[in-house]
Amino acid sequence: MISSFHPPQRTLLGPGPSDVSPRVLAAMARPTIGHLDPEFIRMMDETRVLIQRTFRTTNELTLPISAPGSAGMEACFSNLIEAGDTVVVCINGVFGNRMVENVERMGATAVKVEDEWGTPIDPDKLRTALGQHPETKIVAMVHAETSTGVRSDVEALAAIAREHDCLTIVDAVTSFGGIELDVDGWGLDAVYSGSQKCLSCAPGLSPVTFGPRAVEVIKNRTTKSQSWFLDLNLVMGYWGDGSGGGRSYHHTAPINSLYGLHESLVILHEEGLDNAITRHYRNHLALRTGLEAIGLSLLVDEQYRLPQLNTVVIPDGADDALIRRRLLEDHNVEIGAGLGALGGKVWRVGLMGHGSNPTNVYRCLGCLEGLLGESGSVAAARASYD
Ligand SMILES: *Cc1c(COP(=O)(O)O)cnc(C)c1O
């Protein structure tokens, strides 16, 4: 007989999902109410304020899309692009390539600006591409490339885009709540994120924000967005555009998931966004110190490293798949494998959100050093905290 599912207790130290905070799980177990219930709407209004704070924006059109980060991506592209547009896409990993897929499926032309996996996007290459393609409407870029552990300088790239009168679409799925992200300060136009990385919320929601220039483009489309579900002109009717108008039915919001998102944002802002960012950095430094103490190195140059996603070069002679299996089966620790060209070459160790803490740093190092026949990483990490 098939009976209730009880998952094992894992420690999630991969590229996402990250460990979900017990407070978030408890919030999600609260009673379901109607999605037009005044109490639910009150919670949604608070959620919007908390998302705005996390993006550092005053954009009215700020909401969680009822689907994972990939849908937030699609919401940005499908609302801003019309067939025939030209979009410059900066690519230095998996998620840049997905952006190209979006652009091409919408009948637009993607101009690719490519950099090596493991390195950031080169602003000079973007400048050159925009010089060669004055017809460009949008520049798309990934802030934190989870496939490689690289942070690109979105502030500088967005400034170049603006000099050329282009809108920006920015993937902030892994940067949201983990590293500095300043939507208004950097002048970003359309930004999407996700619930399951540095927010430590369950997967399945994508906070997004659209600035005034993007809203103009959306309102003045000459063709309908090809996605009914993600059409912000319709979604705005439910979430409201901040003008205080009534709410109408668009789709049934994932009520309990949104309780979880609200709670995860409350937790983040109780700690303080700046404190959370500092915590991610401190735990990253401890992990790195421990790894280096046993001869392991990180793939990415120090200045571009993501503290929340560490790409560790697999040492010669280590059996990638076996070590990941032992971590999972013997220690209940999940880390990520390398993707694409980095498959078999790196491990991806996520220290995201609730999971970015000293206990997890020690656990990860202790397990790895045992499996590699090394010692000393835990003591080195501990010393780094002092
Ligand atoms: C995880 C991730 C996504 C996709 O988010 P899903 O919730 O898996 O759909 C997009 N971009 C980046 C950079 C990510 O890390």
Side-chain angles (χ1 to χ4, degrees):
M1 197 185 75
I2 296 178
S3 57
S4 307
F5 176 63
H6 293 280
Q9 279 281 338
R10 308 281 200 213
T11 298
L12 301 180
L13 302 180
S18 60
D19 271 342
V20 178
S21 156
R23 276 179 61 183
V24 171
L25 292 176
M28 291 174 72
R30 290 177 193 146
T32 305
I33 58 175
H35 67 127
L36 295 172
D37 188 309
E39 278 303 298
F40 185 69
I41 288 170
R42 188 178 62 77
M43 188 209 71
M44 291 202 314
D45 288 340
E46 290 182 355
T47 303
R48 187 212 308 268
V49 169
L50 293 169
I51 295 173
Q52 286 171 327
R53 271 186 214 159
T54 313
F55 275 129
R56 301 197 202 278
T57 185
T58 56
N59 290 340
E60 293 290 358
L61 188 53
T62 299
L63 69 152
I65 297 283
S66 302
S70 305
M73 176 188 282
E74 201 145 330
C76 291
F77 285 88
S78 64
N79 280 282
L80 292 181
I81 293 177
E82 295 195 64
D85 287 344
T86 297
V87 180
V88 168
V89 182
C90 303
I91 306 171
N92 61 340
V94 165
F95 293 100
N97 281 321
R98 284 204 188 167
M99 290 174 151
V100 172
E101 273 288 313
N102 270 270
V103 171
E104 291 177 345
R105 280 166 195 242
M106 283 152 204
T109 303
V111 174
K112 300 182 194 176
V113 172
E114 298 191 74
D115 281 287
E116 287 275 322
W117 285 36
T119 66
I121 296 155
D122 178 354
D124 287 331
K125 286 192 189 167
L126 174 61
R127 202 174 274 115
T128 305
L130 289 174
Q132 287 166 348
H133 293 276
E135 75 282 14
T136 303
K137 173 174 161 187
I138 293 167
V139 176
M141 64 194 77
V142 178
H143 188 199
E145 240 311 339
T146 323
S147 61
T148 63
V150 167
R151 176 184 57 80
S152 285
D153 187 348
V154 161
E155 182 178 15
L157 296 167
I160 295 167
R162 240 184 354 270
E163 278 164 28
H164 290 81
D165 282 327
C166 295
L167 295 179
T168 44
I169 295 179
V170 178
D171 178 321
V173 174
T174 290
S175 54
F176 195 65
I179 54 174
E180 183 60 22
L181 167 67
D182 187 352
V183 169
D184 286 1
W186 300 348
L188 313 180
D189 295 301
V191 188
Y192 60 93
S193 62
S195 52
Q196 96 257 29
K197 313 258 167 132
C198 296
L199 278 187
S200 279
C201 183
L205 290 170
S206 177
V208 297
T209 188
F210 293 83
R213 286 182 294 258
V215 171
E216 272 312 291
V217 168
I218 295 169
K219 288 191 168 153
N220 294 318
R221 291 180 66 98
T222 55
T223 55
K224 280 187 183 175
S225 158
Q226 46 154 220
S227 168
W228 176 85
F229 184 67
L230 297 171
D231 184 344
L232 287 166
N233 280 310
L234 304 176
V235 175
M236 273 186 259
Y238 175 67
W239 276 90
D241 58 4
S243 62
R247 312 222 180 210
S248 55
Y249 170 69
H250 175 261
H251 65 275
T252 309
I255 316 276
N256 293 59
S257 296
L258 288 163
Y259 297 164
L261 179 65
H262 180 273
E263 187 70 9
S264 70
L265 290 161
V266 166
I267 294 169
L268 174 63
H269 291 281
E270 280 173 2
E271 178 181 17
L273 185 53
D274 290 331
N275 293 336
I277 290 170
T278 305
R279 173 171 52 80
H280 279 90
Y281 185 64
R282 287 188 70 226
N283 291 315
H284 155 77
L285 282 187
L287 180 76
R288 170 197 131 173
T289 306
L291 292 168
E292 286 174 353
I294 52 172
L296 297 180
S297 58
L298 296 177
L299 175 79
V300 178
D301 280 351
E302 190 162 356
Q303 63 187 127
Y304 308 117
R305 278 178 200 158
L306 291 175
Q308 65 273 52
L309 198 283
N310 301 272
T311 28
V312 183
V313 179
I314 299 176
D316 286 340
D319 184 334
D320 171 25
L322 179 69
I323 286 181
R324 279 186 291 108
R325 194 164 73 241
R326 291 271 76 83
L327 279 171
L328 191 69
E329 290 177 1
D330 300 348
H331 302 281
N332 276 309
V333 170
E334 178 183 274
I335 65 168
L339 289 180
L342 295 175
K345 298 206 170 81
V346 298
W347 290 312
R348 291 182 300 151
V349 178
L351 291 173
M352 297 182 180
H354 177 71
S356 175
N357 61 57
T359 304
N360 282 348
V361 170
Y362 299 145
R363 174 169 305 159
C364 179
L365 291 170
C367 294
L368 266 184
E369 70 174 27
L371 291 164
L372 293 169
E374 302 281 350
S375 67
S377 68
V378 175
R382 195 179 299 114
S384 108
Y385 284 113
D386 298 333

